[in-house]
Amino acid sequence: MSPFLLTRTLPEDATGADLRADVLHGLTRTPKDLPPKWFYDARGSELFEEITRLPEYYPTRAEREILIARAAQIAEVTRARTLVELGSGSSEKTRHLIGALLPGLESYVPVDVSESALRGAAEALTAEHPGLQVHALIADFTRGLALPGTPGPRLVAFLGGTIGNLLPEQRTLFLRSARSLLAPGDALLLGTDLVKDERTLVAAYDDAAGVTAAFNKNVLAVLARELGADVDPDDFEHVAVWDREKEWIEMRLRAREHLTVKIRELDLAVTFEAGEEMRTEVSAKFRQEGVRGELAAAGLELSHWWTDEKGRFALSLATAV
């Protein structure tokens, strides 16, 4: 018998249907775009793990620094008996929180679209902490979420700065949805990358070794495998730019020459002009007053704000008002 529970709320065919819908919508509009979630097949996840170890990519190290320094305080403030993690992936960083929350922590609920990632994390955590109940959810938290019955207080964690991948209107909906998960005494722990100098920001998304470029182009491999697109990654170049007005990084793929991509499964031909760019990711950067305002608009009150020593990244703790 498995030492953990695994519940699927995401339909088996949801990923394929979502991909088809996103490609049809995003590649038939001007400018073209695709959501960043399509980077993360098995190869894309491997590449992202490699990115987190690059010297230019500071967010993972900065957030880990905060978690190590502040986990005990987070545990003392929240006294959480259940930890819910949205977009949990490998749950690697969360181990610092789990260690601090024990022995009072009774249940861990990781939420992710990847069954393999959830199984791997759950197996490792139940082996490490035999008394911890792990109830993994195969779910897309952007669709709304119903949590299993677990003891409160609950701490809902959304780490890694992933909220920056959501456009402003999507962030509003997400934070309202997160607020709906919280009962009195529960809290939200939110990771946000912070505004800083342009050179540091661009380098984090355009590393010298070209790993991020390979990660960006991996979305083309996903289109080829899943939808039969006759696309050659060498026909595109990786671009990362800082939008000063919107205060976000955009990753794009730029066509090197005029070309037409045929997508067999959609019976679709997509034309790219030479130099035309397709946006594949937005990564917003934040300031404390902005985070406070977005939380307040969703009915959440910022109670604690922690940064790494260099002030590059922040963890916010918020409660329902």
Side-chain angles (χ1 to χ4, degrees):
M1 187 177 200
S2 173
F4 58 87
L5 291 174
L6 186 69
T7 300
R8 173 181 288 276
T9 64
L10 189 69
E12 289 278 2
D13 62 346
T15 300
D18 285 354
L19 176 60
R20 291 190 291 272
D22 285 345
V23 170
L24 189 59
H25 173 74
L27 299 193
T28 57
R29 61 187 302 199
T30 303
K32 297 177 176 66
D33 66 12
L34 286 173
K37 66 181 179 180
W38 301 118
F39 291 135
Y40 295 96
D41 63 351
R43 177 56 178 156
S45 297
E46 289 174 359
L47 286 167
F48 184 72
E49 288 299 316
E50 191 174 342
I51 287 170
T52 65
R53 297 189 290 270
L54 293 170
E56 297 97 331
Y57 194 79
Y58 61 85
T60 303
R61 291 187 296 276
E63 186 178 46
R64 185 180 293 114
E65 178 189 321
I66 304 168
L67 284 170
I68 291 171
R70 301 295 183 176
Q73 186 179 358
I74 293 168
E76 181 181 356
V77 170
T78 64
R79 301 189 180 277
R81 295 169 66 197
T82 295
L83 174 62
V84 178
E85 185 178 10
L86 306 180
S88 56
S90 64
S91 301
E92 181 184 353
K93 288 178 294 187
T94 322
R95 284 170 168 78
H96 301 295
L97 270 181
I98 290 173
L101 288 166
L102 290 170
L105 185 70
E106 298 178 29
S107 181
Y108 173 54
V109 182
V111 182
D112 204 278
V113 297
S114 170
E115 180 175 348
S116 61
L118 287 169
R119 284 190 179 278
E123 288 169 359
L125 284 168
T126 50
E128 190 175 344
H129 305 291
L132 182 65
Q133 296 179 350
V134 177
H135 189 158
L137 297 183
I138 307 170
D140 183 348
F141 59 81
T142 64
R143 294 168 174 249
L145 190 64
L147 295 175
T150 54
R154 286 171 167 174
L155 175 61
V156 177
F158 191 38
L159 303 176
T162 307
I163 193 169
N165 296 145
L166 305 178
L167 297 172
E169 59 273 19
Q170 295 171 327
R171 293 203 302 268
T172 297
L173 292 173
F174 166 76
L175 289 171
R176 288 175 182 168
S177 176
R179 165 65 181 86
S180 73
L181 299 176
L182 304 183
D186 294 347
L188 172 69
L189 185 66
L190 181 66
T192 50
D193 196 8
L194 302 180
V195 174
K196 55 187 66 65
D197 67 282
E198 181 175 349
R199 179 178 298 182
T200 299
L201 286 167
V202 172
Y205 295 84
D206 193 12
D207 60 277
V211 181
T212 312
F215 175 69
N216 194 6
K217 290 185 180 186
N218 188 64
V219 74
L220 302 176
V222 171
L223 298 186
R225 183 184 65 247
E226 301 296 331
L227 299 179
D230 63 345
V231 61
D232 185 346
D234 289 339
D235 287 338
F236 293 84
E237 59 182 320
H238 166 69
V239 179
V241 295
W242 170 243
D243 187 317
R244 292 183 182 88
E245 180 181 348
K246 295 175 180 175
E247 295 193 323
W248 67 38
I249 287 281
E250 285 195 13
M251 289 210 311
R252 306 170 184 166
L253 290 171
R254 179 186 294 153
R256 297 182 186 274
E257 58 186 14
H258 177 90
L259 57 94
T260 298
V261 175
K262 295 178 181 178
I263 305 176
R264 186 182 64 246
E265 292 298 318
L266 297 177
D267 193 22
L268 179 67
V270 180
T271 299
F272 288 84
E273 301 299 330
E276 183 178 355
E277 295 177 342
M278 172 175 65
R279 187 174 73 187
T280 52
E281 182 179 87
V282 161
S283 185
K285 310 305 169 186
F286 297 87
R287 303 176 189 270
Q288 184 177 1
E289 59 271 24
V291 173
R292 185 186 302 274
E294 292 195 34
L295 288 170
L300 294 159
E301 182 178 6
L302 179 64
S303 61
H304 293 77
W305 172 270
W306 299 289
T307 69
D308 63 297
E309 187 175 343
K310 294 181 179 178
R312 298 168 296 178
F313 197 95
L315 285 182
S316 304
L317 190 68
T319 54
V321 292

